[in-house]
Amino acid sequence: MSAKAYSVIGTRPIRHDGADKVTGRALYGADFTAAGLLHGAILRSPHAHARIKRIDISRALAYPGVKAVITSADFPEAAERTVDMGEGDTPLSYARGNVLAIDKALYRGHAVAAVAAASLHVAEEAAALIEVEYEPLGCVLTAPEAMLETAPQLHEGKSNLASQFQHVLGDAAKGFAEADVVVEREFNTATVHQGYIEPHNATALWNNDGRVHIWCSTQGSFVVRDCTAIILDIPVSQVKVTPMEIGGGFGGKIPVYLEPVAALLSKKTGRPVKIVMTRKDCFEATGPTPGSFMRVKIGAMKDGRITAAQAYLAFEAGAYPGAMVGPAGMTVFAAYDIPNAVIDGFDVVVNKPSTAAYRAPGAPNAAFATESVIDELAQKLGIDPLEFRLKNAAKEGTRRVDGPKFRRIGCVEVLEAMKNHPHYSAPLGGPNRGRGVAIGFWFNVGLQSSATLNVNADGTVNLVEGSTDIGGTRTSIAMQAAEVLGIPVADVNPSVVDTDTVGFTAVTGGSRTTFATGWAAYEAAQDVVRQMKERAAKLWEIDATAVSFDAGVFTSGERKLTFKELADRLPATGGPIVGRATVNPPGVGGSFAGNIVDVEVDPETGKTSILRFTAVQDVGKAIHPSYVEGQIQGGSVQGIGWALNEEYYMGADGTMMNSSFLDYRMPTALDLPMIDTCIVEVANPGHPFGVRGVGEANIVPPTPAIANAIQRATGVRMTRLPMSPPAIMEALWRESSSQRSSGN
Amino acid sequence: MKWFDYECPRTVEAAVGLLSAPGRKVRALAGGTDLLVQLRAGRREADLVVDIKEIRELNELRLDSTGLTIGAAVPCYRIYNDPAIARAYPGLIDAVSLIGGTQIQGRASLGGNLANAAPSADAVPVLIALGARCLMAGPAGARSLAVEDFCVAPGRNALAPGELLVSIHIAAPASGSGAAYLRFIPRNEMDIAVVGAGASVVLDGNVFAEARIALASVAPTPLFAAQAGDSLIGKPVGEASINAAAEIAKAAAKPITDMRGTAEYRRHLCGVMTRRALTRAIARAKETN
Ligand SMILES: Cc1cc2nc3c(=O)[nH]c(=O)nc-3n(C[C@H](O)[C@H](O)[C@H](O)COP(=O)(O)OP(=O)(O)OC[C@H]3O[C@@H](n4cnc5c(N)ncnc54)[C@H](O)[C@@H]3O)c2cc1C
């Protein structure tokens, strides 16, 4: 466990961007404006699957006030090739096609054409005047159906099964033969959306010198730069992205949707063009997380040792391949030491919006299946569900089914913390109540980050970095620099800057920002210390190696200079000091999270109330504990949403019927108890301060923990998400009619 | 959203004049919490929006010996903030305090809730249960209508062209009376009734002297389940009579399957919610006895 004493790390300072955010001064993407700004509107497909036979833009173009109309025909000509849009190789036509449909509309809401006009009203009215001749085709909405030979094919000449994989460890058949008890169940999870508050937006100016400037809300300004350049077939150096403040992303603000469109409209008009999505656009045309069909089978001996496991995972990619079934396959059994296992994964295209990352993508689906089966096994074996998990928990050295061996992880520590938590032994206190537990795992990622520190004469430093700040990372990064420099974090002034101004920095995602950009800030601070030691040495006329630095003070024998004193003397000792660093750290630490949940289910309505919710997570080292708690609470709340009510409710024709926050039911404050957090710190040996990513693992256990609690409250095991009141009521009816018919 | 003209008349006559403008799509605007949302989403269209909030009669909120008069534009918060009204009509308070949240209640009116004619409108079942009447003014003069006859189809009401809903009137509560409104929603707030039930009873000792029941979200319009209420009259208060009434209400419902619930589930909830609303109305009636 992390025992080292720090002066800044582990404290709870106020955030640097707090004043701007609480006063409403912070500028978000939709706040951006510029002289001559035009407004863009997008025409979207009313069909979930249709061939586009003809597009006539003449009436729209003739509409007074309209400045330009574009379709996919306006993409510059480029030969088909594979491109890297940040998540592996994709054909260029797919990358472009999701931005403006080429030949076919593949989901309802698919962008087909766009208009720029002097006002949004004019742009919207003109968009409605674009005539599109569609040939509607049959649509397919789930992975199992799309895998049938008779299913409508989305991409000509290509199977809807875009890819598949298999992981094998040991001999599963032998393992199941050894088992005393085997449980096998099928599970379905609904398509769900990240539900960030701020809709997607982008403004682009294609300048006369050929450079494109983009202002937008994104998790990765360099991703926007690179993807826009790929789609428009221009060099990355021609694109500059200025990230505005971001109102949530959760993975959904990594892909580009509007930026290339706004850029093309700007190219045609010579003016900046701004496009802002509506909530309906966000639901229908940005990437939700895949719906999934899963079958999981696990066998165990009477003493509670798991002998074998098997998983079949079919995930809906949406319109284009890339369903995040890979991470599902890597996490599905990651919490356990299982000697024999087989995992099959299938990435299947369907007529729904192209899916995107969503907080630990793939893992919550997989955990819903595994942790439900684990719970049922524990019940069948008569073993306490936490003891059963502890008996089989993954540890340092455990080999995952997909190959890698775990380094130091905190799975056991999380389980122990759950077992010892007063919640686990508290009385339930009423009828129709149940308590469930579950755990979950997420890898986290490293990837490239850059940072610079400019030392000011007053002893403060300006921190320049490129990670857009979603969860308070300006502060969590600045704290790591402050710790090294031995100065208060208020003396570090962080700025998130544009892509021309900082070195390459990967997305704010994969729980990497505090880990990797924090590491860059740590290294940049070390660089500052090294240079400042040289200045002290110069002043004292000694060798730099004779200068030591501790807690913000440079010393050599009796001589002392505080950081602030020395900062004031830089002009006289050689000029300004800039510390810099770029990192691509390997030592990523995976994170485990666990939940204890009490529910009450109304037997007459099927409605579940969450009475008490405890979220435990191994975070390595909590740099800023309040933000860590915020991440844990946020992930838990999203998981509760998946569990209870959130779903794309699809009509048979592929229309999402509930594309508003009224009917896409995310939990409100009134639906939740205070989410009690419990931070476990098993230091990550791969990070200077022991940091593991904390943003994602917390969304993994809630759905099975709640399902397990509902099972204990009602006796019915829910295998389909969401476990909405009608779904639970129907399960209760089925249960009581089957009990009647079996004469119980 | 398309452009529209905006007028803000001061009198009922002026409003009726504007609403009767020939050849124009005219819409009255009270709180706008339905109308503005619908205009923005393109679900309704208007060339002219007539703001009715500056008209005296539509802002009247008066409790007297005849009962309660609620101007059609009076926002919900004024109703629940009046202690005398809250004491006399707790069932009405159930409804007005659960429409939207605090911000919405600062604007949303009963008139708008009724005139919008949604099958799910939360204030309508309890108004029907309380036997409320709508007072309207139009080019042909004034008239009144029972609330249960006001909504004619989803989104359509009984107002003739140019006609304005002026106020809603509820008779003074009889002694031994109690009412309640309850809705079932999957969340605890910010949701549309999957099923709502309003009940009003008058007790004579332990016997139902009067009872009216109405339901939300189970038919094309708010549903007055007259037979369910009638079945109680003369019966003793108890589980048997309440369950029987709930079964009749259930049978009267004509629910559909949609994203808010299946028809089967909704029908089941009709029974549950009717029972719960009646139980609460009865408890209130006993308190006032
Ligand atoms: C966030 C949110 C939450 C909501 N929650 C609920 C809820 O929980 N329960 C619920 O039932 N509703 C809810 N609503 C819907 C809405 O708030 C209510 O129906 C409200 O009572 C409408 O009143 P209003 O004054 O805003 O009507 P407006 O929007 O002004 O008008 C509604 C309709 O009635 C017409 N109209 C209004 N007044 C008159 C009149 N005097 N004569 C003739 N026609 C008239 C208008 O032209 C319009 O068609 C919610 C709305 C929002 C935005």
Side-chain angles (χ1 to χ4, degrees):
Chain A
M1 303 264 171
S2 315
K4 192 169 176 338
Y6 295 112
S7 59
V8 178
I9 290 189
T11 65
R12 300 171 186 246
I14 62 164
R15 59 199 290 163
H16 297 82
D17 50 331
D20 278 353
K21 285 189 174 155
V22 301
T23 56
R25 291 197 182 93
L27 293 177
Y28 290 81
D31 296 325
F32 183 81
T33 191
L37 185 75
L38 298 177
H39 296 268
I42 292 185
L43 178 70
R44 298 182 179 280
S45 170
H47 303 289
H49 194 191
R51 200 175 311 285
I52 300 170
K53 303 190 75 171
R54 189 179 58 88
I55 305 180
D56 182 353
I57 62 169
S58 55
R59 284 177 67 210
L61 259 184
Y63 194 79
V66 170
K67 306 291 182 195
V69 181
I70 59 164
T71 67
S72 63
D74 291 282
F75 285 125
E77 218 157 298
E80 179 70 314
R81 60 195 159 95
T82 54
V83 295
D84 183 1
M85 299 287 285
E87 278 154 11
D89 287 346
T90 309
L92 178 63
S93 59
Y94 287 6
R96 286 180 161 185
N98 197 33
V99 167
L100 281 172
I102 302 172
D103 302 333
K104 264 175 121 184
L106 296 170
Y107 51 95
R108 177 168 161 137
H110 199 156
V112 172
V115 180
S119 93
L120 182 57
H121 297 296
V122 171
E124 283 174 351
E125 294 200 5
L129 296 175
I130 298 171
E131 287 169 32
V132 186
E133 192 187 320
Y134 294 102
E135 179 195 334
L137 305 166
C139 69
V140 61
L141 301 173
T142 67
E145 288 167 308
M147 286 163 84
L148 298 175
E149 261 178 30
T150 50
Q153 206 174 51
L154 272 76
H155 300 284
E156 238 113 285
K158 289 183 186 140
S159 164
N160 290 339
L161 173 55
S163 67
Q164 67 186 83
F165 63 79
Q166 184 172 65
H167 301 304
V168 180
L169 182 70
D171 180 346
K174 183 175 134 279
F176 282 118
E178 285 164 13
D180 295 311
V181 183
V182 175
V183 172
E184 181 172 14
R185 289 266 186 185
E186 286 181 354
F187 299 87
N188 287 276
T189 70
T191 302
V192 293
H193 197 270
Q194 300 85 354
Y196 32 76
I197 289 175
E198 177 206 26
H200 285 261
N201 56 75
T203 306
L205 172 64
W206 199 307
N207 212 340
N208 302 55
D209 60 4
R211 290 210 77 198
V212 180
H213 195 166
I214 291 167
W215 298 263
C216 64
S217 164
T218 176
Q219 289 177 244
S221 42
F222 285 88
V223 178
V224 172
R225 183 191 71 170
D226 295 0
C227 292
T228 303
I230 288 169
I231 287 171
L232 299 178
D233 206 27
I234 54 178
V236 290
S237 58
Q238 294 295 88
V239 184
K240 169 176 171 176
V241 176
T242 300
M244 307 295 288
E245 292 298 344
I246 174 171
F250 312 104
K253 287 204 185 130
I254 299 172
V256 295
Y257 300 102
L258 300 174
E259 292 82 354
V261 178
L264 282 178
L265 286 169
S266 177
K267 188 179 188 185
K268 281 214 160 172
T269 58
R271 288 163 64 170
V273 178
K274 171 162 145 181
I275 311 178
V276 181
M277 284 195 189
T278 62
R279 180 59 53 189
K280 190 176 166 69
D281 295 340
C282 288
F283 277 118
E284 290 192 337
T286 69
T289 204
S292 54
F293 167 80
M294 299 170 291
R295 195 182 312 117
V296 164
K297 177 178 170 185
I298 304 179
M301 318 255 276
K302 283 208 186 79
D303 69 355
R305 270 299 299 166
I306 295 176
T307 56
Q310 185 167 7
Y312 172 100
L313 311 166
F315 277 42
E316 299 163 6
Y320 299 96
M324 298 289 181
V325 66
M330 291 149 83
T331 55
V332 63
F333 297 131
Y336 302 104
D337 184 356
I338 302 178
N340 308 294
V342 186
I343 299 166
D344 285 290
F346 304 88
D347 181 19
V348 187
V349 293
V350 298
N351 294 112
K352 287 185 182 174
S354 192
T355 55
Y358 178 4
R359 212 167 193 155
N365 310 47
F368 175 55
T370 300
E371 290 293 294
S372 295
V373 170
I374 289 281
D375 195 59
E376 198 172 337
L377 267 175
Q379 283 174 315
K380 290 217 156 117
L381 292 165
I383 304 178
D384 172 88
L386 287 181
E387 292 298 347
F388 182 54
R389 286 174 173 83
L390 271 168
K391 194 161 195 109
N392 295 284
K395 302 175 190 63
E396 186 169 2
T398 299
R399 182 171 294 286
R400 285 205 322 253
V401 183
D402 57 306
K405 269 191 183 169
F406 275 120
R407 284 189 289 243
R408 182 78 176 95
I409 48 169
C411 185
V412 169
E413 287 80 354
V414 164
L415 284 164
E416 293 284 356
M418 290 167 75
K419 208 174 83 178
N420 297 329
H421 197 285
H423 182 174
Y424 195 57
S425 48
L428 273 168
N432 304 313
R433 294 182 175 187
R435 175 168 300 150
V437 296
I439 56 171
F441 168 71
W442 185 247
F443 317 91
N444 306 322
V445 299
L447 307 180
Q448 304 167 76
S449 275
S450 311
T452 24
L453 287 169
N454 300 300
V455 181
N456 297 314
D458 62 0
T460 64
V461 295
N462 294 334
L463 165 64
V464 178
E465 47 112 349
S467 289
T468 51
D469 183 352
I470 309 188
T473 51
R474 281 184 181 87
T475 304
S476 69
I477 294 163
M479 287 170 79
Q480 297 181 56
E483 184 70 44
V484 173
L485 299 176
I487 60 177
V489 70
D491 287 355
V492 181
N493 172 33
S495 300
V496 178
V497 297
D498 64 72
T499 53
D500 281 5
T501 311
V502 66
F504 186 92
T505 298
V507 290
T508 296
S511 299
R512 63 174 296 276
T513 305
T514 297
F515 171 79
T517 309
W519 196 334
Y522 168 90
E523 294 290 351
Q526 299 286 3
D527 189 28
V528 167
V529 169
R530 188 183 51 72
Q531 295 179 59
M532 296 216 10
K533 277 183 176 171
E534 285 169 6
R535 301 302 176 86
K538 200 165 188 180
L539 282 172
W540 294 332
E541 297 177 340
I542 56 172
D543 195 88
T545 54
V547 180
S548 54
F549 178 70
D550 186 47
V553 184
F554 295 89
T555 51
S556 176
E558 293 297 290
R559 286 173 292 205
K560 277 190 182 15
L561 277 170
T562 64
F563 185 85
K564 192 169 174 169
E565 288 163 348
L566 185 54
D568 191 38
R569 303 185 65 171
L570 298 185
T573 55
I577 283 181
V578 179
R580 354 167 247 253
T582 64
V583 297
N584 192 0
V588 182
S591 176
F592 283 84
N595 294 155
I596 309 168
V597 187
D598 294 356
V599 303
E600 182 172 319
V601 180
D602 182 337
E604 287 190 325
T605 65
K607 178 168 168 172
T608 301
S609 302
I610 308 283
L611 303 176
R612 187 171 177 186
F613 195 105
T614 301
V616 180
Q617 188 176 339
D618 170 26
V619 306
K621 178 70 200 169
I623 298 291
H624 192 306
S626 299
Y627 297 170
V628 169
E629 288 156 5
Q631 289 294 320
I632 296 174
Q633 289 169 327
S636 301
V637 169
Q638 286 186 315
I640 291 170
W642 287 49
L644 296 184
N645 283 304
E646 289 183 41
E647 67 179 313
Y648 273 46
Y649 186 91
M650 305 301 289
D653 67 350
T655 303
M656 179 184 184
M657 309 301 287
N658 59 336
S659 56
S660 76
F661 276 154
L662 181 57
D663 287 310
Y664 181 86
R665 297 189 177 101
M666 301 184 75
T668 72
L670 292 163
D671 303 310
L672 301 160
M674 184 64 187
I675 307 292
D676 193 7
T677 58
C678 171
I679 293 176
V680 172
E681 293 184 319
V682 178
N684 170 17
H687 184 275
F689 295 121
V691 170
R692 296 173 191 273
V694 301
E696 297 174 281
N698 37 57
I699 199 179
V700 184
T703 60
I706 292 167
N708 296 341
I710 289 172
Q711 198 282 334
R712 282 165 170 74
T714 64
V716 298
R717 185 157 288 285
M718 301 298 294
T719 56
R720 182 178 283 273
L721 295 182
M723 300 175 280
S724 62
I728 290 181
M729 207 61 234
E730 276 153 31
L732 290 171
W733 286 332
R734 269 200 307 276
E735 176 82 0
S736 70
S737 73
S738 77
Q739 274 180 11
R740 260 200 310 279
S741 62
S742 66
N744 294 337
Chain B
M1 180 167 76
K2 297 208 169 131
W3 287 282
F4 52 76
D5 289 335
Y6 171 86
E7 295 279 357
C8 188
R10 303 282 164 148
T11 65
V12 170
E13 295 69 42
V16 168
L18 288 163
L19 288 167
S20 316
R24 302 189 74 181
K25 285 183 211 137
V26 192
R27 286 262 158 211
L29 171 84
T33 59
D34 276 317
L35 184 65
L36 295 181
V37 177
Q38 291 160 356
L39 289 176
R40 286 184 66 165
R43 274 187 284 133
R44 287 206 201 256
E45 280 186 22
D47 311 318
L48 171 63
V49 167
V50 179
D51 189 340
I52 55 175
K53 286 192 289 297
E54 296 297 319
I55 304 171
R56 192 184 49 81
E57 291 89 329
L58 277 80
N59 278 307
E60 190 178 26
L61 183 62
R62 195 182 65 237
L63 183 64
D64 59 23
S65 59
T66 71
L68 177 63
T69 304
I70 307 166
V74 170
C76 292
Y77 85 95
R78 278 184 60 199
I79 302 170
Y80 61 66
N81 272 356
D82 185 315
I85 296 176
R87 248 193 326 277
Y89 300 96
L92 179 66
I93 303 304
D94 287 344
V96 291
S97 54
L98 62 68
I99 291 178
T102 306
Q103 287 168 309
I104 295 293
Q105 289 156 9
R107 278 276 171 185
S109 65
L110 281 193
N113 197 248
L114 194 49
N116 188 55
S120 59
D122 279 313
V124 181
V126 73
L127 288 174
I128 294 174
L130 289 167
R133 292 189 72 80
C134 308
L135 309 177
M136 293 113 83
R143 62 177 179 128
S144 90
L145 199 62
V147 169
E148 57 265 35
D149 297 326
F150 186 79
C151 300
V152 296
R156 281 189 36 225
N157 59 42
L159 290 170
E163 226 175 5
L164 179 70
L165 177 62
V166 175
S167 62
I168 296 155
H169 187 264
I170 312 174
S175 81
S177 68
Y181 176 72
L182 287 173
R183 67 176 180 184
F184 179 78
I185 53 175
R187 290 185 291 196
N188 293 328
E189 252 301 347
M190 284 299 155
D191 222 325
I192 292 190
V194 178
V195 170
S200 165
V201 299
V202 181
L203 302 185
D204 181 2
N206 200 40
V207 172
F208 290 104
E210 277 176 44
R212 286 167 68 93
I213 293 164
L215 300 166
S217 290
V218 296
T221 59
L223 182 73
F224 177 34
Q227 290 175 331
D230 290 349
S231 78
L232 291 167
I233 297 171
K235 300 256 169 64
V237 171
E239 223 172 274
S241 57
I242 293 172
N243 286 346
E247 282 306 313
I248 298 173
K250 214 167 135 178
K254 302 176 209 61
I256 55 164
T257 291
D258 69 6
M259 61 200 167
R260 300 186 185 121
T262 60
E264 188 192 14
Y265 179 62
R266 282 195 154 120
R267 193 180 289 283
H268 164 78
L269 284 182
C270 284
V272 175
M273 299 316 282
T274 300
R275 222 173 346 96
R276 291 182 181 181
L278 272 172
T279 306
R280 187 184 280 200
I282 291 162
R284 284 177 174 157
K286 288 185 173 163
E287 275 168 30
T288 62
N289 245 351

